[in-house]
Amino acid sequence: AQSVTQPDIHITVSEGASLELRCNYSYGATPYLFWYVQSPGQGLQLLLKYFSGDTLVQGIKGFEAEFKRSQSSFNLRKPSVHWSDAAEYFCAVENQAGTALIFGKGTTLSVSS
Amino acid sequence: EADIYQTPRYLVIGTGKKITLECSQTMGHDKMYWYQQDPGMELHLIHYSYGVNSTEKGDLSSESTVSRIRTEHFPLTLESARPSHTSQYLCASSEGPGDYGYTFGSGTRLTVV
C-alpha cells in the first residue's frame, strides 16, 4: 500500500538557521507530491507541489523541495527560518487511483529565538 | 482569503445527537473531500465526491454520511454522535487532476461528550 513517512515528529530550529524536513514515500510510478503547512486551529495551506519536470521546486514563503527518485524522497528546505514558520508540516502523495491524497503524520516545527 | 468555508469551527455536542458539518466552496470545483485529523496522526480520507450526485467512501471507515446535491456544497452528517467521533474534520476541494493540489477549509473541531 502507498504510504508517506515523515521521520521527524518534532524539530526545533533557531531563527535564521536553515531547515530541512524529511519526507519519504512509497509509490511505483512518478508521483504527484505536495507539502502543506498547518498553523494552529487552521486548515492546510499548499506550500509547493511536484508532478514532473525540474526536480527542484519553489514554493511560497521561501520554501523549496527536491524530488529524488532514487531515494523516494521529497524533502522540504528553507535557507533561513522565521519565527512565523512555526507550524505543522505535512507531506502528501496522490494515491495511485488518483482519487485522493495520502498524508504523512506531520512534523511540528518550533522556532527558537 | 478562504474560498472554502466550514461551519461550525468548534462544536461540543452530547452523545446520540445528530449533527451536520457544513462545507461550501466558491471556486466551482467538481472534486471535494472530507478528511479526519487526530492529533499526531496523518489525515485520513473518509469521503470524496467528483461532482453532483457522486459520493464515495474513503480509506478510513466512518459512520458519517455525505451528500452532494449542489456543486458548491458538501455536508457531512453523523446520525448519532459518539465520543469516538471526537476529532477534527477538514473539507477540501480540487480543480482537477492531482497536480492542481487541494484547497482546504479551516476545519471543524468536534467534541462529543
Side-chain angles (χ1 to χ4, degrees), chain B residues 11 22 26 35 54 56-59 77 87-88 94 105 110-111:
Chain B
L11 179 62
E22 301 288 348
T26 58
Y35 281 85
S54 152
E56 300 287 344
K57 288 188 178 294
D59 303 324
T77 298
S87 187
Q88 172 151 264
S94 176
L110 172 66
T111 302

Side-chain angles (χ1 to χ4, degrees), chain A residues 3-70:
Chain A
S3 64
V4 175
T5 302
Q6 294 181 246
D8 304 306
I9 297 172
H10 190 187
I11 284 182
T12 299
V13 175
S14 298
E15 190 168 17
S18 63
L19 168 71
E20 182 169 31
L21 301 182
R22 297 182 290 165
C23 172
N24 294 96
Y25 63 90
S26 66
Y27 192 83
T30 301
Y32 289 166
L33 292 159
F34 306 84
W35 274 100
Y36 284 86
V37 61
Q38 184 180 34
S39 298
Q42 300 297 316
L44 277 69
Q45 181 183 19
L46 179 66
L47 283 175
L48 46 77
K49 59 189 178 186
Y50 170 82
F51 51 94
S52 67
D54 194 347
T55 56
L56 184 64
V57 293
Q58 303 296 321
I60 63 171
K61 304 184 180 186
F63 285 93
E64 66 178 27
E66 186 171 13
F67 169 60
K68 292 186 177 179
R69 185 190 301 277
S70 61

